[in-house]
Amino acid sequence: MKARTRFAPSPTGELHIGGVRTAIFAWLLAKHTGGEFFIRIEDTDQDRYVPGSTRRILESFQWLGIELDGGPDHASLARMKTNEDFPGALADGEYRGVPGPFVQSQRLHLYRQWAEWLLEHGYAYRANETPEELARMRQEAQARGQTFIFREHMRLRHDVRPDEPHVIRMRVLPPNGQTVLHDAIRGSITFDHSAIDDQVLLKMDGFPTYHLAVVVDDHLQGVTHVLRGDDWLPSAPKHVLLYQYFGWPQPVWAHVPNVLGTDGKKLSKRHGAQSVFEFRDQGYIPEALINFLALLGWALGGGEEQNVFTRDELIARFSLEGVGSSPAIFDYAKLDWLNGVHIRMLRDDDLAQRLVPFLQRADIPIEPARDVAKLTRIAPLIKERIKKLTDAAPLVDFFFVDIPIPPAEALAGKLDRADALRALQATLACLRAVEPFEEPPIEQAMRALCDAIGMKPSQLFSVVRVAVTGKTVAPPLFGTIAVLGRETTLQRLARAEAQLR
Ligand code: GLU
């Protein structure tokens, strides 16, 4: 069965990485079955609206490389409370079969229509208690040691007319009954109606509450599987009831467990990066982030131990059965490891392109048009040595900027100066002659040189390394020399030789 799933964020701030994990489960499920994944912006709480957050949410998915089969297009983003349009938004009307609009504030007529339907069929009623009156009722209940559950008989006025300000509340029926939620992850959970409020569905301002909007939209937009965080579990029986009232088939419910830090506490700023863009700016690549997030609560199962997955493998292997019901632990060390693995899987030219902004940020004067070819040659030299894109700058800066002449002590290291000088002089002569100036002949010539002058490779190579890179730790030497080129290499060796003399 083809699954159609959605991610339904509220534009109320930064997109939290735990939410992205849940979105990735929904996307993988849809793609695994050949179905659709879309984004719906739930902006019904206009008081909590944060300008720019819709755009950042969509840009995050674009960066992750998650293609949408539906989501707000340019026109609809431009019509939001603040203009949220951006170049990468979906072209107008590009929805691959999922009906829009994808912004709840642009669907208000639908919520009104279905709220009226509930009224007509006896599943809802009008009420107009003021916030102050409700607060007093809540206090009174608390004073009696009870939780406040609003029910129809508690209304202060019974003659609310359709043309005066009012809310529409759902009737929880039967008042003393039970509702069973069949959850694909949590199993069956029974909820007593006595603990469920006659939830407001439509507010005085004509906006729906989340509960009405989510049910109407998920049904009208053909959502087959509702995947969301398990903080929504307490609301789920209201939604199950609304589907029953409307006579709509229940979707598959799947409440995904929370993500915790390694200390077992709810993931927060304290643990590190929070938003997708923070991870991007810290040098993580989307392939690794998706792999890592997919493993937060999902595993292959069946005794198979596999941690490294490409996007295609995840799509091929993901299933809801593999999602566990206990909280997932966000382990940064594992993310770093996976990031290194995925960096090594990149093609050299791809890695080179991705390094550009990070090197520029580290003040290395990179010009993509001029330098990407060179960076592509450097990529295989550093791939094994970096876990994050931010790790590259100190390993490659000397390829692009001249180095200060290393002090004599640094050049000599553990050797005495005369030997270090001899090593540099012999290397100069050797590298002047080597043909072609490429890694294998350079390596061959320098190894032969060690024998010729009676020096251990480790000794000779460390003097040369400091002379040409200015560092004791650098990428593999012969490849480095080849990329630096004969002219620069000889020049740096000659300067070092002069320094020692
Ligand atoms: N708008 C809700 C939120 O911000 C979505 C919950 C759901 O996925 O149903 O979390």
Side-chain angles (χ1 to χ4, degrees):
M1 172 193 168
K2 273 194 188 181
R4 180 177 292 175
T5 60
R6 50 52 170 192
F7 179 53
S10 301
T12 52
E14 286 313 316
L15 178 56
H16 190 265
I17 199 71
V20 179
R21 187 284 313 259
T22 305
I24 284 176
F25 283 0
W27 164 68
L28 288 173
L29 179 68
K31 295 298 132 183
H32 176 75
T33 60
E36 298 86 21
F37 170 73
F38 68 95
I39 286 189
R40 182 176 66 230
I41 301 296
E42 303 206 321
D43 61 342
T44 54
D45 190 345
Q46 298 268 307
D47 294 338
R48 291 176 58 224
Y49 185 96
V50 174
S53 53
T54 297
R55 185 182 313 157
R56 283 197 296 279
I57 289 166
L58 294 173
E59 281 173 339
S60 301
F61 279 85
Q62 188 185 34
W63 179 78
L64 286 166
I66 294 183
E67 269 189 52
L68 306 179
D69 300 303
D73 57 15
H74 290 295
S76 136
L77 287 171
R79 273 209 311 280
M80 288 187 70
K81 188 168 169 183
T82 52
N83 181 353
E84 299 288 310
D85 195 17
F86 74 106
L90 286 179
D92 291 347
E94 191 192 291
Y95 306 138
R96 297 186 210 157
V98 187
F102 295 88
V103 176
Q104 284 188 328
S105 59
Q106 295 165 18
R107 301 172 62 85
L108 298 183
H109 61 287
L110 295 167
Y111 311 128
R112 153 102 22 222
Q113 176 191 330
W114 287 104
E116 301 279 351
W117 188 96
L118 290 170
L119 278 176
E120 277 162 33
H121 291 79
Y123 295 116
Y125 58 88
R126 301 181 208 275
N128 71 354
E129 285 66 34
T130 64
E132 296 73 34
E133 287 166 344
L134 288 168
R136 192 162 13 87
M137 293 163 92
R138 182 167 297 113
Q139 273 168 11
E140 284 166 10
Q142 276 162 359
R144 288 191 304 271
Q146 293 167 344
T147 4
F148 177 57
I149 301 286
F150 192 92
R151 279 298 152 85
E152 197 169 0
H153 68 265
M154 296 157 75
R155 280 181 306 170
L156 301 175
R157 289 170 290 278
H158 295 259
D159 50 354
V160 187
R161 291 191 326 266
D163 59 347
E164 65 183 316
H166 65 274
V167 302
I168 295 180
R169 285 182 182 268
M170 75 184 278
R171 284 198 176 102
V172 174
L173 297 171
N176 292 315
Q178 291 182 325
T179 287
V180 182
L181 170 77
H182 300 286
D183 190 275
I185 296 171
R186 313 290 293 253
S188 295
I189 306 175
T190 304
F191 295 86
D192 281 328
H193 288 182
S194 57
I196 306 173
D197 221 19
D198 278 1
Q199 176 69 48
V200 174
L201 299 178
L202 206 64
K203 298 182 279 188
M204 299 239 184
D205 60 4
F207 276 74
T209 57
Y210 163 68
H211 308 280
L212 176 65
V214 75
V215 168
V216 167
D217 289 345
D218 282 346
H219 174 71
L220 295 183
Q221 296 187 302
V223 170
T224 58
H225 295 66
V226 173
L227 267 82
R228 60 185 174 194
D230 63 5
D231 36 338
W232 291 108
L233 212 45
S235 303
K238 298 175 190 174
H239 306 165
V240 171
L241 278 176
L242 286 173
Y243 273 90
Q244 283 172 10
Y245 295 168
F246 286 129
W248 295 338
Q250 301 278 332
V252 175
W253 300 100
H255 289 86
V256 177
N258 238 310
V259 182
L260 307 177
T262 38
D263 55 1
K265 303 230 169 74
K266 202 166 178 268
L267 201 61
S268 72
K269 271 262 168 276
R270 221 164 14 88
H271 295 98
Q274 291 288 286
S275 75
V276 169
F277 290 150
E278 283 176 277
F279 285 96
R280 176 196 64 188
D281 296 344
Q282 291 180 3
Y284 296 99
I285 63 173
E287 290 85 347
L289 200 54
I290 287 180
N291 184 164
F292 174 75
L293 292 175
L295 296 177
L296 284 183
W298 170 79
L300 269 185
E304 280 189 85
E305 274 278 348
Q306 183 178 340
N307 279 303
V308 180
F309 292 88
T310 63
R311 165 182 316 238
D312 288 345
E313 283 173 320
L314 284 173
I315 291 174
R317 309 293 310 266
F318 184 83
S319 73
L320 224 41
E321 290 76 55
V323 178
S325 58
S326 40
I329 305 294
F330 197 106
D331 178 0
Y332 279 86
K334 181 168 180 183
L335 172 59
D336 285 2
W337 169 73
L338 271 176
N339 205 55
V341 171
H342 279 277
I343 283 179
R344 291 197 282 284
M345 285 159 69
L346 295 179
R347 281 199 334 264
D348 293 338
D349 57 333
D350 187 358
L351 176 55
Q353 294 280 3
R354 298 194 204 203
L355 284 174
V356 169
F358 290 89
L359 301 182
Q360 288 173 333
R361 229 201 290 151
D363 287 332
I364 302 174
I366 300 280
E367 275 214 37
R370 184 192 62 203
D371 295 323
V372 164
K374 185 169 170 183
L375 263 177
T376 303
R377 293 180 67 203
I378 297 171
L381 302 175
I382 61 166
K383 255 185 189 174
E384 303 288 334
R385 289 154 198 250
I386 59 173
K387 283 198 176 132
K388 298 190 243 173
L389 298 178
T390 42
D391 296 339
L395 290 173
V396 307
D397 49 359
F398 64 88
F399 285 107
F400 299 96
V401 287
D402 200 7
I403 57 167
I405 303 173
E409 312 76 67
L411 283 163
K414 291 199 196 86
L415 286 181
D416 48 68
R417 260 169 101 136
D419 282 335
L421 183 61
R422 202 157 58 84
L424 287 178
Q425 286 167 341
T427 308
L428 268 165
C430 162
L431 293 183
R432 248 182 228 122
V434 74
E435 276 306 337
F437 202 79
E438 283 164 12
E439 187 175 337
I442 292 171
E443 172 163 12
Q444 221 176 11
M446 286 186 62
R447 290 200 186 276
L449 186 66
C450 296
D451 294 337
I453 64 171
M455 228 179 229
K456 280 197 230 144
S458 60
Q459 297 176 322
L460 177 81
F461 299 163
S462 59
V463 183
V464 175
R465 179 176 299 112
V466 175
V468 300
T469 69
K471 301 171 195 273
T472 48
V473 181
L477 185 59
F478 313 113
T480 297
I481 290 176
V483 174
L484 277 172
R486 193 180 327 250
E487 198 186 312
T488 306
T489 306
L490 293 180
Q491 188 196 40
R492 291 185 185 177
L493 285 171
R495 281 190 325 206
E497 192 255 2
Q499 174 85 319
L500 277 179
R501 232 182 313 123

